[in-house]
Amino acid sequence: MPEHLPLPDPEPVDGHRAPPGFNPDRPPPDRDRHGPALAAELASAVADPASAPPVVEGVDPSRVLKLRATGRLSVGTLRRRLPLLAEDAHWGYYVLADDDQLREFAEAVSGYAEGSLSGHGVPALITMLQTIEGIEPYGPSDRSGAGLAELSFDEPELVDILVWPSASVGEARGRLAQVTAAIRTIEGSAEIASDERPASTVLRARLSREAVELVLHVAVVEKVRPAPRPLIEPPELRAADARDLAVPPPGDALLGVIDDGVAAAHPLLAGLVVAHQGFPSTYGYGAPGPHGTNVAGLAAFGDFEEAFAGSLSLPVPARVIAARVLEPDPYLANRNRFADVALPHEAFEEALRWMVTEHGVRVVVAAIADPYGFQGPLVDEFTVTVDSLVRELDVVIVTACGNVYDGLTSDGAGGTANAVRDYPGYLTRDVARVAEPGTAALALTVGSVARTDAPATASGTTPLGYRAVAGPGMPSPFSRSGPGPGPASAGSQKPDLSHYGGNLVITDHGTLEWHNQGVGSITLHHQPAARHFAAVNGTSFAAPRVARVAAEVAATYPDASANLIRALVALSARRSAPEGALPDDLIWRTIGYGIPDIDRAVQSVGSRVVLMFDGEIDPDGTHIHAVPLPRDFVEASTSRTLRVAYAFDPPVRRQRREYIAGKMRVDLVHGLDPLTIAEIYGPQPSWQALRADPSLVRQSLPDASHRYQLTPGVNRTLGSTLAVQELRRTQLPDEAHYLVVAHLREAWARTAAFSYDRQRYAVVVELVDEERPGLDLYAAARTELTALRARLRGRAGR
């Protein structure tokens, strides 16, 4: 098997090109109107009785306000007047202030409105106030998480109380103590577990309705929500016998499954599940439900449909390390729950560390999603835990984007008006937005597409009048959509990828059928004594198929970083929707980069070759990679595609608008020598310096004659840590080509208190000649690579 070729090591650029920054010519608002309006909104927010803090000993009586801005506020200027809790992606700033601080801020706003401000720091203060367009209270309705209103409270309910991120463990403990003080004033409340880490401070408790109402008024509380109970997809059995299928011996691929318990004794899993354990280890789990085995079967084999279609031979399976963190909810049908005695993100972290440290797992699938779409204003503690562990452990975590139910029916009783009339439009509504932890910036988040639109009964026939909602390759009717959270104009790309997760069927009676085996995703049944296979629907069953591809990449390239694995998997993906079937924006929001392929991810063959680099860059640094384009690829007038994929793993901060610590972008330039490229992409004079000295010259980035316009553009990719861009051409200039990789830290990541010395990244380049399948592009690229390395060594020796 021809493995991919290396991309030449980069030439670093001394320094970096800073962005232009804020436009100094933007006109300020009319102070005579803006000032009094701001003062009135502040007074109304402070006086709002619904958001008044409770009078409880040990609870801070401060208020939380949301400042709505038109752009970035100076955090230093703001913090000198109001303690900042967090920022969101829409220029929302959340502040915690006591009566004295609010009174001083009100005086500053009045002085701004009257034009009477004077003294040190006034220009910065006025700029900040000009940028604030509105002030509103943050009260109980803001703190009420999705699903909280659905709880009956006939008896105390299990809830998780998320606390605003803190600057230190001591501050987090103090905030938890306030929540505890409030809870203990209500008889019958019981605290169960807590996490006092500053970025993921949360308290789990069993509370009455009265206690929840009280907690919803506590200022240090960000959100109160029901304890997570992920939905499971209803399975339908398939009458088939595993003994009829040929099963190859397992290969080298290994991956972890964090889910419900797995039926390790299943005939097709026997010997493949090499270790399994429950977390927390002290919890006594009950009998497992179907979800864990459904996911593990697809994680091990990747696909069963082709075997049933006639080959009767299964793919080479992977070995599985299974960790149990879920069990069927005994009180709610089709719901799983985490162990009540532990916080979900802590159980997940314990399971992941066990997999990585004791079993060497590099790829993990956690097909666990909240039943509700992302609401914000911040990502939750589960999401930030996933991102932090990806970076710390250098592991690939594959998640599902979650399943949407609310948009499918309009009458709540199985009607299909929305599923038929509004598909796929309802997938882009807020109710269908990707669910946490699928919002994780460093995870591979997977959506679902339909494989088939042919309903069937148990006998294999298609019932008259039955029809599938989605066509082949189209987004599954239940799959959630992006974008993910992020400050970029397009947010972050979520889902990143997609795979086959099933379809839904409209019956001849006009009802919605979730478990028709003709359109479902085939996997293993959790009770093999009764049935060996099940037909299921859900993004949970698309995610392990993608994880199986990633595990094969990790096995083929054992030294690859998680970044390189992610980049190769994404580079191998292709869109499944028929050409022209969906608007481009809807494709991005539901399918992402498409369905990955194992063969394309791990090998270069014939007229397709991949070059890859796995390394580090200085924060705010720029690298120039020479791209060895074979003459056969450049000179021919055939349909050719050049794809670039890159991935990086920046630190994250939950409370910051720019959740990830830095951004990356790539440019593909040609016809310029490396020195010229370094001058262009190196440090440039600031706009302030140019105004002071017009003789200075700020060089423009290369225009279209030297820089290709890759698709998608930078506006869609800049908010993500994984991107794939491509160039389709029938002609290419016979010139040297270079890939310019640039990194830029966010302002909060440049502070002395934040250690961010190196940024790991991977970049891969794919060359494909679609019209000449017999072309040995691999051999030609290897020859060109050898010649290029010789030229680079010669230039370095001069």
Side-chain angles (χ1 to χ4, degrees):
M1 176 183 70
E3 294 186 355
H4 301 319
L5 298 173
L7 187 68
D9 289 343
E11 298 183 40
V13 174
D14 186 16
H16 74 287
R17 183 188 185 99
F22 178 73
N23 180 4
D25 299 324
R26 178 183 172 188
D30 181 355
R31 190 198 65 196
D32 291 340
R33 294 182 179 179
H34 180 248
L38 210 59
E41 286 200 13
L42 175 59
S44 176
V46 172
D48 181 28
S51 60
V55 181
V56 176
E57 185 177 355
V59 175
D60 186 349
S62 297
R63 289 178 179 266
V64 177
L65 301 180
K66 177 183 177 181
L67 311 181
R68 293 180 285 106
T70 58
R72 187 182 306 280
L73 300 182
S74 168
V75 172
T77 302
L78 178 60
R79 279 180 169 154
R80 280 191 285 273
R81 288 161 178 84
L82 298 172
L84 178 64
L85 290 170
E87 316 162 30
D88 66 26
H90 304 288
W91 303 116
Y93 291 79
Y94 301 82
V95 295
L96 175 72
D98 59 27
D99 289 342
D100 290 340
Q101 291 166 325
L102 289 172
R103 185 164 43 253
E104 291 177 6
F105 186 62
E107 291 172 358
V109 172
S110 296
Y112 161 67
E114 297 165 2
S116 60
L117 288 176
S118 62
H120 178 71
V122 165
L125 174 60
I126 291 176
T127 298
M128 183 186 76
L129 294 175
Q130 288 173 339
T131 311
I132 297 173
E133 66 174 355
I135 302 173
E136 57 194 52
Y138 189 89
S141 61
D142 301 292
R143 296 188 179 95
S144 182
L148 190 66
E150 299 172 16
L151 299 180
S152 67
F153 288 103
D154 293 335
E155 57 185 28
E157 297 275 7
L158 193 69
V159 299
D160 287 344
I161 304 165
L162 190 59
V163 173
W164 289 105
S166 301
S168 66
V169 172
E171 185 176 48
R173 288 173 178 166
R175 290 178 176 177
L176 279 174
Q178 292 186 50
V179 178
T180 301
I183 290 173
R184 290 178 179 174
T185 64
I186 307 296
E187 187 176 349
S189 302
E191 303 143 37
I192 295 172
S194 64
D195 181 356
E196 60 184 26
R197 288 175 293 184
S200 55
T201 314
V202 62
L203 174 70
R204 169 164 288 189
R206 197 171 293 279
L207 302 181
S208 64
R209 184 185 297 277
E210 182 184 4
V212 167
E213 290 295 334
L214 178 62
V215 170
L216 288 174
H217 286 79
V218 175
V220 296
V221 172
E222 177 194 336
K223 198 76 70 175
V224 182
R225 64 182 184 220
R229 278 168 165 75
L231 287 160
I232 63 173
E233 296 73 21
E236 175 69 15
L237 308 183
R238 183 180 178 98
D241 196 319
R243 291 167 293 190
D244 295 334
L245 303 177
V247 185
D252 295 330
L254 173 72
L255 74 165
V257 174
I258 301 180
D259 209 285
D260 193 359
V262 173
H266 192 289
L268 292 181
L269 289 179
L272 295 182
V273 181
V274 296
H276 54 89
Q277 185 171 321
F279 296 90
S281 57
T282 56
Y283 183 71
Y285 280 101
H291 201 262
T293 302
N294 296 161
V295 171
L298 288 166
F301 289 93
D303 186 81
F304 293 98
E305 282 85 351
E306 290 190 9
F308 283 115
S311 71
L312 297 182
S313 178
L314 289 170
V316 174
R319 292 168 294 126
V320 171
I321 307 295
R324 187 177 189 187
V325 298
L326 298 175
E327 65 180 354
D329 193 315
Y331 305 107
L332 295 171
N334 293 330
R335 291 283 184 117
N336 275 342
R337 69 177 186 183
F338 291 89
D340 287 354
V341 298
L343 295 169
H345 69 287
E346 290 190 316
F348 172 84
E349 179 175 350
E350 187 181 359
L352 184 69
R353 290 188 183 278
W354 168 74
M355 287 181 169
V356 173
T357 59
E358 296 193 22
H359 298 282
V361 171
R362 301 291 316 287
V363 176
V364 173
V365 57
I368 302 169
D370 194 87
Y372 306 97
F374 173 73
Q375 291 184 314
L378 312 179
V379 299
D380 69 14
E381 77 285 0
F382 206 133
T383 297
V384 78
T385 297
V386 168
D387 282 328
S388 299
L389 291 172
V390 167
R391 177 174 168 83
E392 177 191 345
L393 302 176
D394 194 26
V395 62
V396 176
I397 298 179
V398 183
T399 66
C401 70
N403 302 322
V404 59
Y405 295 84
D406 293 345
L408 296 177
T409 61
S410 58
D411 59 12
T416 59
N418 285 7
V420 175
R421 183 185 64 234
D422 298 337
Y423 173 86
Y426 62 78
L427 296 180
T428 63
R429 297 174 187 162
D430 286 344
V431 72
R433 197 173 182 189
V434 61
E436 299 194 79
T439 52
L442 276 60
L444 281 178
T445 304
V446 183
S448 176
V449 295
R451 188 171 197 157
T452 174
D453 60 352
T457 62
S459 63
T461 60
T462 300
L464 185 65
Y466 280 46
R467 62 195 186 280
V469 176
M474 296 285 280
S476 297
F478 46 77
S479 190
R480 290 187 173 274
S481 66
S489 58
S492 58
Q493 177 58 52
K494 294 293 173 181
D496 302 283
L497 301 163
S498 50
H499 219 305
Y500 301 124
N503 202 347
L504 301 182
V505 167
I506 308 299
T507 71
D508 54 354
H509 298 294
T511 58
L512 195 64
E513 188 172 86
W514 269 85
H515 44 80
N516 186 285
Q517 66 183 34
V519 299
S521 184
I522 306 302
T523 185
L524 302 184
H525 196 276
H526 71 297
Q527 294 177 330
R531 290 287 188 270
H532 286 170
F533 297 96
V536 295
N537 284 306
T539 59
S540 290
F541 312 116
R545 295 177 188 264
V546 170
R548 180 67 186 84
V549 178
E552 198 64 43
V553 174
T556 305
Y557 303 100
D559 295 329
S561 68
N563 288 325
L564 181 55
I565 296 170
R566 284 197 294 149
L568 287 171
V569 172
L571 188 74
S572 76
R574 299 292 184 268
R575 295 283 181 75
S576 57
E579 188 74 26
L582 292 173
D584 191 58
D585 182 65
L586 188 56
I587 289 177
W588 284 115
R589 294 180 64 177
T590 58
I591 294 177
Y593 293 111
I595 298 176
D597 177 81
I598 285 181
D599 290 338
R600 286 195 296 264
V602 301
Q603 61 181 322
S604 297
V605 178
S607 60
R608 175 184 175 273
V609 63
V610 172
L611 303 107
M612 56 189 189
F613 173 81
D614 199 1
E616 295 181 336
I617 190 172
D618 286 333
D620 297 323
T622 302
H623 280 178
I624 303 172
H625 291 269
V627 182
L629 297 185
R631 188 168 296 276
D632 283 343
F633 185 77
V634 172
E635 291 184 343
S637 295
T638 56
S639 178
R640 287 155 297 165
T641 302
L642 186 152
R643 291 186 182 88
V644 179
Y646 62 92
F648 65 111
D649 56 354
V652 296
R653 287 293 182 271
R654 195 169 76 84
Q655 66 269 41
R656 302 310 296 257
R657 175 181 185 269
E658 292 82 6
Y659 173 64
I660 58 176
K663 299 183 178 72
M664 289 191 75
R665 62 174 291 173
V666 300
D667 284 338
L668 183 62
V669 300
H670 59 94
L672 300 174
D673 63 82
L675 289 178
T676 301
I677 296 173
E679 291 175 359
I680 294 172
Y681 284 89
Q684 302 290 314
S686 66
W687 298 118
Q688 292 82 358
L690 285 171
R691 283 196 295 268
D693 185 357
S695 67
L696 297 176
V697 177
R698 184 179 178 95
Q699 300 191 52
S700 300
L701 289 172
D703 60 21
S705 63
H706 291 291
R707 179 165 58 114
Y708 296 112
Q709 296 300 309
L710 301 177
T711 304
V714 68
N715 286 340
R716 185 172 289 279
T717 61
L718 199 58
S720 304
T721 68
L722 172 69
V724 183
Q725 297 173 281
E726 68 177 33
L727 174 73
R728 293 181 180 270
R729 286 291 181 94
T730 55
Q731 291 186 337
L732 289 170
D734 186 12
E735 299 173 331
H737 284 67
Y738 296 92
L739 198 65
V740 181
V741 179
H743 178 270
L744 180 66
R745 282 182 295 181
E746 298 295 349
W748 65 262
R750 296 195 187 105
T751 60
F754 186 76
S755 177
Y756 188 22
D757 298 328
R758 301 290 289 171
Q759 175 59 69
R760 295 179 300 202
Y761 80 99
V763 62
V764 290
V765 178
E766 177 191 55
L767 310 177
V768 185
D769 192 311
E770 284 92 354
E771 294 185 20
R772 294 185 291 171
L775 175 66
D776 192 353
L777 193 57
Y778 182 85
R782 186 166 52 188
T783 300
E784 179 61 27
L785 179 61
T786 301
L788 177 59
R789 282 172 164 170
R791 293 196 297 271
L792 292 175
R793 285 196 299 270
R795 192 168 67 207
R798 289 201 298 268

